[in-house]
Amino acid sequence: MPYRLLKPDLGTRLDTVDSTNRYLRLAGTPPGSWVSAQNQTQGKGRGHNNWLSLGDQKLFFSGKVQFPESHASLTLFSLFMGSAIVRTTLEIFPELDGELNIKWPNDIYRSGKKVAGILIEAEYNKGIMELILGIGINYFGREIPESLQAKASFLLNRLMSAEEEESFLMALIENINRTLLISLEQNSVWKELEWIDSISFFKGKVLEWEDESGIERASYLGYDEEGLLILRTADGRKIELLDSPKNLRIL
């Protein structure tokens, strides 16, 4: 079977790297491998954006996994990576319960501000899909640039100990594997999506964006089994979004 999950003993730990995703892509590492770094100099975000790392303590992580090409929903995988980050955080720091949200399709927010992001890259070959799952988390910092103070923050209010960092990393790998396995079973997918819905950043909100036909405005409903965002307009029309419009905003 062409399934390969992350293996805790196939990791590389670096102090600084240009990009953890690029490192795994170019190093010729097998599926199951992962890399972590404390600093990243050329991190990528969605589209042509760069990942802006903040603070004194950070995690940059990428893992390489493998699935059959038919088992492919990158939007669902991205949501599930968000679930893995939140579940890991609450295992190690349960006092943060109620403060964390998943912002579809690929961000984690704490108290209304971004603290983590996800970037998934895929390659396809002879029916096999190889994914690089990239995660960046701003753990803790003492300062935030003035231009980002309204929208960015840190996961914690203090530095992690070395033991906490290690526990977090190992729990993250375990939770990533858990959510990937859940994605193989439809009933489990819906159960996980229900939990993600309960901590959705969009829950109870009205969203607005522009497309070719003009301005669209719709209320959040939830997600489908592929991870698409489901919205409903005031006149009852249902809208499914595969990816976030660049100008998506909350009213």
Side-chain angles (χ1 to χ4, degrees):
M1 292 291 287
Y3 293 97
R4 296 289 186 273
L5 301 179
L6 298 179
K7 296 184 178 181
D9 59 348
L10 281 184
T12 300
R13 302 164 192 260
L14 304 171
D15 178 64
T16 302
V17 68
D18 56 354
S19 161
T20 55
N21 273 26
R22 185 181 296 117
Y23 179 92
L24 281 188
R25 191 169 59 250
L26 300 180
T29 54
S33 302
W34 55 270
V35 59
S36 67
Q38 297 177 355
N39 299 285
Q40 184 170 256
T41 59
Q42 298 177 35
K44 287 179 60 180
R46 290 181 64 245
H48 299 291
N49 296 323
N50 295 323
W51 168 255
L52 297 176
S53 59
L54 300 174
D56 308 301
Q57 191 175 45
K58 306 169 284 277
L59 172 67
F60 302 100
F61 175 92
S62 293
K64 184 185 290 187
V65 298
Q66 180 178 284
F67 285 87
E69 188 174 341
S70 58
H71 184 72
S73 172
L74 298 188
T75 306
L76 183 65
F77 284 142
S78 184
L79 264 181
F80 276 19
M81 289 306 96
S83 171
I85 294 170
V86 174
R87 288 186 182 278
T88 298
T89 302
L90 296 180
E91 286 176 19
I92 309 300
F93 304 103
E95 65 272 17
L96 293 180
D97 188 22
E99 295 187 33
L100 302 177
N101 299 103
I102 295 175
K103 184 175 181 286
W104 178 92
N106 62 338
D107 292 327
I108 306 300
Y109 275 52
R110 180 189 175 199
S111 300
K113 297 181 181 181
K114 182 174 177 177
V115 297
I118 299 156
L119 178 66
I120 298 180
E121 298 178 299
E123 293 185 357
Y124 304 91
N125 183 31
K126 297 180 180 179
I128 301 299
M129 176 179 65
E130 196 169 270
L131 299 178
I132 295 181
L133 312 170
I135 293 171
I137 306 175
N138 296 325
Y139 280 154
F140 171 75
R142 295 174 178 85
E143 294 183 0
I144 299 175
E146 186 175 350
S147 61
L148 297 175
Q149 288 179 1
K151 57 184 178 180
S153 187
F154 301 107
L155 186 66
L156 302 174
N157 296 330
R158 62 170 176 82
L159 286 168
M160 281 192 194
S161 67
E163 293 78 9
E164 287 172 331
E165 281 193 276
E166 181 65 15
S167 295
F168 192 100
L169 180 58
M170 290 298 103
L172 179 62
I173 291 170
E174 181 179 342
N175 278 306
I176 288 172
N177 284 340
R178 170 190 166 275
T179 56
L180 292 174
L181 288 172
I182 284 174
S183 71
L184 303 177
E185 210 285 310
Q186 196 63 47
N187 288 335
S188 298
V189 166
W190 283 116
K191 187 175 294 186
E192 189 71 8
L193 286 172
E194 287 178 7
W195 186 78
I196 292 172
D197 172 74
S198 73
I199 58 169
S200 171
F201 188 72
F202 292 149
K203 195 171 184 68
K205 294 182 171 65
V206 176
L207 308 181
E208 185 178 83
W209 68 99
E210 295 176 30
D211 58 21
E212 299 82 2
S213 60
I215 295 177
E216 288 277 12
R217 184 177 296 172
S219 299
Y220 168 86
L221 288 182
Y223 312 100
D224 73 0
E225 69 275 11
E226 298 295 319
L228 274 64
L229 181 66
I230 309 300
L231 305 166
R232 178 171 289 158
T233 64
D235 60 5
R237 182 165 47 94
K238 189 166 77 170
I239 296 176
E240 298 179 352
L241 294 180
L242 175 63
D243 200 0
S244 176
K246 289 183 179 180
N247 55 5
L248 183 69
R249 52 193 174 270
I250 296 173
L251 298 182

mmCIF file of all heavy atoms in Angstrom, residues 31-63:
data_model
loop_
_atom_site.group_PDB
_atom_site.id
_atom_site.type_symbol
_atom_site.label_atom_id
_atom_site.label_comp_id
_atom_site.label_asym_id
_atom_site.label_seq_id
_atom_site.Cartn_x
_atom_site.Cartn_y
_atom_site.Cartn_z
ATOM 1 N N PRO A 31 9.430 9.392 2.115
ATOM 2 C CA PRO A 31 8.189 9.663 2.848
ATOM 3 C C PRO A 31 8.290 9.112 4.265
ATOM 4 O O PRO A 31 8.871 8.049 4.504
ATOM 5 C CB PRO A 31 7.134 8.909 2.029
ATOM 6 C CG PRO A 31 7.709 8.846 0.656
ATOM 7 C CD PRO A 31 9.188 8.690 0.844
ATOM 8 N N GLY A 32 7.732 9.859 5.206
ATOM 9 C CA GLY A 32 7.873 9.542 6.626
ATOM 10 C C GLY A 32 8.859 10.445 7.316
ATOM 11 O O GLY A 32 8.885 10.535 8.545
ATOM 12 N N SER A 33 9.683 11.152 6.518
ATOM 13 C CA SER A 33 10.697 12.040 7.082
ATOM 14 C C SER A 33 10.088 13.371 7.508
ATOM 15 O O SER A 33 9.050 13.791 7.002
ATOM 16 C CB SER A 33 11.796 12.318 6.049
ATOM 17 O OG SER A 33 12.402 11.125 5.609
ATOM 18 N N TRP A 34 10.771 14.042 8.417
ATOM 19 C CA TRP A 34 10.364 15.372 8.845
ATOM 20 C C TRP A 34 11.585 16.192 9.232
ATOM 21 O O TRP A 34 12.659 15.646 9.480
ATOM 22 C CB TRP A 34 9.372 15.319 10.009
ATOM 23 C CG TRP A 34 9.837 14.553 11.214
ATOM 24 C CD1 TRP A 34 9.660 13.213 11.454
ATOM 25 C CD2 TRP A 34 10.570 15.056 12.340
ATOM 26 N NE1 TRP A 34 10.230 12.850 12.656
ATOM 27 C CE2 TRP A 34 10.788 13.964 13.222
ATOM 28 C CE3 TRP A 34 11.048 16.313 12.684
ATOM 29 C CZ2 TRP A 34 11.475 14.110 14.426
ATOM 30 C CZ3 TRP A 34 11.729 16.463 13.890
ATOM 31 C CH2 TRP A 34 11.931 15.371 14.743
ATOM 32 N N VAL A 35 11.413 17.500 9.255
ATOM 33 C CA VAL A 35 12.482 18.406 9.659
ATOM 34 C C VAL A 35 11.877 19.518 10.498
ATOM 35 O O VAL A 35 10.758 19.971 10.239
ATOM 36 C CB VAL A 35 13.226 18.978 8.425
ATOM 37 C CG1 VAL A 35 12.273 19.731 7.519
ATOM 38 C CG2 VAL A 35 14.379 19.880 8.851
ATOM 39 N N SER A 36 12.612 19.934 11.524
ATOM 40 C CA SER A 36 12.191 21.074 12.336
ATOM 41 C C SER A 36 13.345 22.053 12.431
ATOM 42 O O SER A 36 14.511 21.676 12.344
ATOM 43 C CB SER A 36 11.756 20.633 13.738
ATOM 44 O OG SER A 36 12.860 20.130 14.467
ATOM 45 N N ALA A 37 12.998 23.327 12.602
ATOM 46 C CA ALA A 37 14.015 24.372 12.736
ATOM 47 C C ALA A 37 13.492 25.464 13.640
ATOM 48 O O ALA A 37 12.280 25.684 13.756
ATOM 49 C CB ALA A 37 14.384 24.943 11.365
ATOM 50 N N GLN A 38 14.428 26.164 14.272
ATOM 51 C CA GLN A 38 14.065 27.287 15.128
ATOM 52 C C GLN A 38 13.980 28.596 14.352
ATOM 53 O O GLN A 38 13.291 29.527 14.778
ATOM 54 C CB GLN A 38 15.086 27.414 16.260
ATOM 55 C CG GLN A 38 15.125 26.207 17.183
ATOM 56 C CD GLN A 38 16.199 26.326 18.254
ATOM 57 O OE1 GLN A 38 16.977 27.278 18.261
ATOM 58 N NE2 GLN A 38 16.244 25.376 19.163
ATOM 59 N N ASN A 39 14.679 28.651 13.215
ATOM 60 C CA ASN A 39 14.686 29.856 12.397
ATOM 61 C C ASN A 39 14.571 29.475 10.925
ATOM 62 O O ASN A 39 15.116 28.457 10.498
ATOM 63 C CB ASN A 39 15.978 30.660 12.618
ATOM 64 C CG ASN A 39 16.137 31.123 14.053
ATOM 65 O OD1 ASN A 39 15.473 32.056 14.484
ATOM 66 N ND2 ASN A 39 17.013 30.466 14.799
ATOM 67 N N GLN A 40 13.883 30.314 10.164
ATOM 68 C CA GLN A 40 13.683 30.070 8.748
ATOM 69 C C GLN A 40 13.843 31.404 8.011
ATOM 70 O O GLN A 40 13.214 32.396 8.388
ATOM 71 C CB GLN A 40 12.281 29.489 8.517
ATOM 72 C CG GLN A 40 11.975 29.099 7.101
ATOM 73 C CD GLN A 40 10.669 28.320 6.976
ATOM 74 O OE1 GLN A 40 10.669 27.116 6.811
ATOM 75 N NE2 GLN A 40 9.551 29.020 7.067
ATOM 76 N N THR A 41 14.674 31.406 6.983
ATOM 77 C CA THR A 41 15.023 32.673 6.339
ATOM 78 C C THR A 41 14.212 32.978 5.090
ATOM 79 O O THR A 41 14.129 34.140 4.679
ATOM 80 C CB THR A 41 16.517 32.686 5.968
ATOM 81 O OG1 THR A 41 16.796 31.593 5.078
ATOM 82 C CG2 THR A 41 17.381 32.564 7.222
ATOM 83 N N GLN A 42 13.622 31.953 4.452
ATOM 84 C CA GLN A 42 12.880 32.174 3.212
ATOM 85 C C GLN A 42 11.574 31.388 3.215
ATOM 86 O O GLN A 42 11.231 30.710 2.244
ATOM 87 C CB GLN A 42 13.733 31.774 1.994
ATOM 88 C CG GLN A 42 15.010 32.578 1.846
ATOM 89 C CD GLN A 42 15.849 32.111 0.673
ATOM 90 O OE1 GLN A 42 15.340 31.708 -0.365
ATOM 91 N NE2 GLN A 42 17.162 32.168 0.841
ATOM 92 N N GLY A 43 10.841 31.476 4.322
ATOM 93 C CA GLY A 43 9.599 30.729 4.436
ATOM 94 C C GLY A 43 8.532 31.229 3.482
ATOM 95 O O GLY A 43 8.440 32.426 3.215
ATOM 96 N N LYS A 44 7.731 30.299 2.973
ATOM 97 C CA LYS A 44 6.651 30.638 2.048
ATOM 98 C C LYS A 44 5.315 30.624 2.761
ATOM 99 O O LYS A 44 5.079 29.824 3.663
ATOM 100 C CB LYS A 44 6.604 29.621 0.900
ATOM 101 C CG LYS A 44 7.717 29.728 -0.109
ATOM 102 C CD LYS A 44 7.577 28.654 -1.171
ATOM 103 C CE LYS A 44 6.266 28.769 -1.916
ATOM 104 N NZ LYS A 44 6.106 27.718 -2.957
ATOM 105 N N GLY A 45 4.435 31.509 2.315
ATOM 106 C CA GLY A 45 3.042 31.465 2.728
ATOM 107 C C GLY A 45 2.178 31.089 1.536
ATOM 108 O O GLY A 45 2.670 30.588 0.525
ATOM 109 N N ARG A 46 0.876 31.332 1.635
ATOM 110 C CA ARG A 46 -0.022 31.030 0.527
ATOM 111 C C ARG A 46 0.255 31.950 -0.646
ATOM 112 O O ARG A 46 0.618 33.101 -0.492
ATOM 113 C CB ARG A 46 -1.484 31.189 0.957
ATOM 114 C CG ARG A 46 -1.963 30.139 1.915
ATOM 115 C CD ARG A 46 -3.421 30.339 2.269
ATOM 116 N NE ARG A 46 -4.285 30.178 1.109
ATOM 117 C CZ ARG A 46 -5.016 31.160 0.596
ATOM 118 N NH1 ARG A 46 -4.964 32.364 1.092
ATOM 119 N NH2 ARG A 46 -5.800 30.921 -0.435
ATOM 120 N N GLY A 47 0.056 31.398 -1.858
ATOM 121 C CA GLY A 47 0.251 32.201 -3.057
ATOM 122 C C GLY A 47 1.691 32.661 -3.171
ATOM 123 O O GLY A 47 2.623 31.864 -3.101
ATOM 124 N N HIS A 48 1.880 33.959 -3.333
ATOM 125 C CA HIS A 48 3.230 34.516 -3.434
ATOM 126 C C HIS A 48 3.651 35.203 -2.140
ATOM 127 O O HIS A 48 4.624 35.959 -2.117
ATOM 128 C CB HIS A 48 3.295 35.513 -4.599
ATOM 129 C CG HIS A 48 2.982 34.900 -5.927
ATOM 130 N ND1 HIS A 48 3.818 33.989 -6.540
ATOM 131 C CD2 HIS A 48 1.904 35.028 -6.748
ATOM 132 C CE1 HIS A 48 3.284 33.604 -7.695
ATOM 133 N NE2 HIS A 48 2.115 34.219 -7.838
ATOM 134 N N ASN A 49 2.940 34.929 -1.057
ATOM 135 C CA ASN A 49 3.260 35.566 0.221
ATOM 136 C C ASN A 49 4.425 34.870 0.904
ATOM 137 O O ASN A 49 4.703 33.687 0.674
ATOM 138 C CB ASN A 49 2.043 35.534 1.147
ATOM 139 C CG ASN A 49 0.888 36.341 0.595
ATOM 140 O OD1 ASN A 49 1.086 37.389 -0.010
ATOM 141 N ND2 ASN A 49 -0.322 35.843 0.787
ATOM 142 N N ASN A 50 5.108 35.602 1.775
ATOM 143 C CA ASN A 50 6.139 35.033 2.628
ATOM 144 C C ASN A 50 5.552 34.795 4.014
ATOM 145 O O ASN A 50 4.656 35.505 4.455
ATOM 146 C CB ASN A 50 7.347 35.969 2.742
ATOM 147 C CG ASN A 50 8.060 36.140 1.423
ATOM 148 O OD1 ASN A 50 8.173 35.190 0.645
ATOM 149 N ND2 ASN A 50 8.540 37.342 1.157
ATOM 150 N N TRP A 51 6.071 33.771 4.709
ATOM 151 C CA TRP A 51 5.664 33.536 6.091
ATOM 152 C C TRP A 51 6.485 34.447 6.990
ATOM 153 O O TRP A 51 7.717 34.378 7.020
ATOM 154 C CB TRP A 51 5.871 32.074 6.481
ATOM 155 C CG TRP A 51 5.741 31.865 7.961
ATOM 156 C CD1 TRP A 51 6.738 31.645 8.857
ATOM 157 C CD2 TRP A 51 4.524 31.898 8.741
ATOM 158 N NE1 TRP A 51 6.236 31.534 10.130
ATOM 159 C CE2 TRP A 51 4.890 31.685 10.090
ATOM 160 C CE3 TRP A 51 3.186 32.088 8.415
ATOM 161 C CZ2 TRP A 51 3.938 31.641 11.105
ATOM 162 C CZ3 TRP A 51 2.254 32.049 9.441
ATOM 163 C CH2 TRP A 51 2.635 31.823 10.759
ATOM 164 N N LEU A 52 5.811 35.322 7.709
ATOM 165 C CA LEU A 52 6.482 36.257 8.601
ATOM 166 C C LEU A 52 6.587 35.638 9.988
ATOM 167 O O LEU A 52 5.597 35.498 10.687
ATOM 168 C CB LEU A 52 5.702 37.576 8.651
ATOM 169 C CG LEU A 52 5.607 38.339 7.333
ATOM 170 C CD1 LEU A 52 4.713 39.567 7.508
ATOM 171 C CD2 LEU A 52 6.977 38.738 6.822
ATOM 172 N N SER A 53 7.790 35.252 10.355
ATOM 173 C CA SER A 53 8.000 34.681 11.684
ATOM 174 C C SER A 53 8.246 35.794 12.679
ATOM 175 O O SER A 53 8.930 36.775 12.390
ATOM 176 C CB SER A 53 9.180 33.710 11.666
ATOM 177 O OG SER A 53 10.357 34.373 11.254
ATOM 178 N N LEU A 54 7.677 35.622 13.856
ATOM 179 C CA LEU A 54 7.760 36.652 14.891
ATOM 180 C C LEU A 54 8.295 36.045 16.176
ATOM 181 O O LEU A 54 8.116 34.865 16.456
ATOM 182 C CB LEU A 54 6.373 37.242 15.163
ATOM 183 C CG LEU A 54 5.637 37.912 13.999
ATOM 184 C CD1 LEU A 54 4.232 38.303 14.453
ATOM 185 C CD2 LEU A 54 6.393 39.118 13.494
ATOM 186 N N GLY A 55 8.911 36.885 16.980
ATOM 187 C CA GLY A 55 9.180 36.518 18.357
ATOM 188 C C GLY A 55 10.518 35.875 18.623
ATOM 189 O O GLY A 55 11.377 35.726 17.757
ATOM 190 N N ASP A 56 10.666 35.434 19.869
ATOM 191 C CA ASP A 56 11.916 34.884 20.374
ATOM 192 C C ASP A 56 11.973 33.364 20.271
ATOM 193 O O ASP A 56 13.055 32.788 20.321
ATOM 194 C CB ASP A 56 12.094 35.286 21.850
ATOM 195 C CG ASP A 56 11.941 36.785 22.047
ATOM 196 O OD1 ASP A 56 12.702 37.537 21.423
ATOM 197 O OD2 ASP A 56 11.046 37.191 22.808
ATOM 198 N N GLN A 57 10.826 32.734 20.163
ATOM 199 C CA GLN A 57 10.777 31.268 20.131
ATOM 200 C C GLN A 57 9.737 30.843 19.096
ATOM 201 O O GLN A 57 8.579 31.245 19.164
ATOM 202 C CB GLN A 57 10.413 30.724 21.521
ATOM 203 C CG GLN A 57 10.592 29.232 21.669
ATOM 204 C CD GLN A 57 10.324 28.793 23.111
ATOM 205 O OE1 GLN A 57 9.355 29.213 23.730
ATOM 206 N NE2 GLN A 57 11.180 27.941 23.644
ATOM 207 N N LYS A 58 10.180 30.013 18.146
ATOM 208 C CA LYS A 58 9.328 29.652 17.015
ATOM 209 C C LYS A 58 9.536 28.183 16.673
ATOM 210 O O LYS A 58 10.541 27.575 17.064
ATOM 211 C CB LYS A 58 9.692 30.511 15.787
ATOM 212 C CG LYS A 58 9.659 32.001 16.021
ATOM 213 C CD LYS A 58 10.282 32.787 14.888
ATOM 214 C CE LYS A 58 11.786 32.736 14.891
ATOM 215 N NZ LYS A 58 12.396 33.710 15.802
ATOM 216 N N LEU A 59 8.611 27.649 15.914
ATOM 217 C CA LEU A 59 8.773 26.316 15.344
ATOM 218 C C LEU A 59 8.478 26.380 13.853
ATOM 219 O O LEU A 59 7.425 26.887 13.443
ATOM 220 C CB LEU A 59 7.822 25.305 15.994
ATOM 221 C CG LEU A 59 7.794 23.925 15.314
ATOM 222 C CD1 LEU A 59 9.127 23.199 15.496
ATOM 223 C CD2 LEU A 59 6.643 23.071 15.851
ATOM 224 N N PHE A 60 9.409 25.872 13.065
ATOM 225 C CA PHE A 60 9.177 25.637 11.643
ATOM 226 C C PHE A 60 9.293 24.134 11.427
ATOM 227 O O PHE A 60 10.299 23.514 11.805
ATOM 228 C CB PHE A 60 10.191 26.403 10.799
ATOM 229 C CG PHE A 60 10.149 27.873 11.049
ATOM 230 C CD1 PHE A 60 11.086 28.477 11.874
ATOM 231 C CD2 PHE A 60 9.151 28.652 10.488
ATOM 232 C CE1 PHE A 60 11.043 29.838 12.130
ATOM 233 C CE2 PHE A 60 9.099 30.021 10.737
ATOM 234 C CZ PHE A 60 10.038 30.612 11.560
ATOM 235 N N PHE A 61 8.285 23.552 10.838
ATOM 236 C CA PHE A 61 8.207 22.093 10.733
ATOM 237 C C PHE A 61 7.660 21.710 9.366
ATOM 238 O O PHE A 61 6.712 22.333 8.868
ATOM 239 C CB PHE A 61 7.273 21.544 11.820
ATOM 240 C CG PHE A 61 7.021 20.062 11.719
ATOM 241 C CD1 PHE A 61 7.816 19.170 12.413
ATOM 242 C CD2 PHE A 61 5.983 19.571 10.930
ATOM 243 C CE1 PHE A 61 7.592 17.796 12.317
ATOM 244 C CE2 PHE A 61 5.756 18.205 10.832
ATOM 245 C CZ PHE A 61 6.555 17.322 11.524
ATOM 246 N N SER A 62 8.251 20.691 8.769
ATOM 247 C CA SER A 62 7.696 20.102 7.555
ATOM 248 C C SER A 62 7.824 18.583 7.643
ATOM 249 O O SER A 62 8.844 18.060 8.120
ATOM 250 C CB SER A 62 8.427 20.601 6.303
ATOM 251 O OG SER A 62 8.206 21.974 6.093
ATOM 252 N N GLY A 63 6.797 17.905 7.186
ATOM 253 C CA GLY A 63 6.802 16.451 7.146
ATOM 254 C C GLY A 63 6.383 15.961 5.773
ATOM 255 O O GLY A 63 5.553 16.588 5.109
#
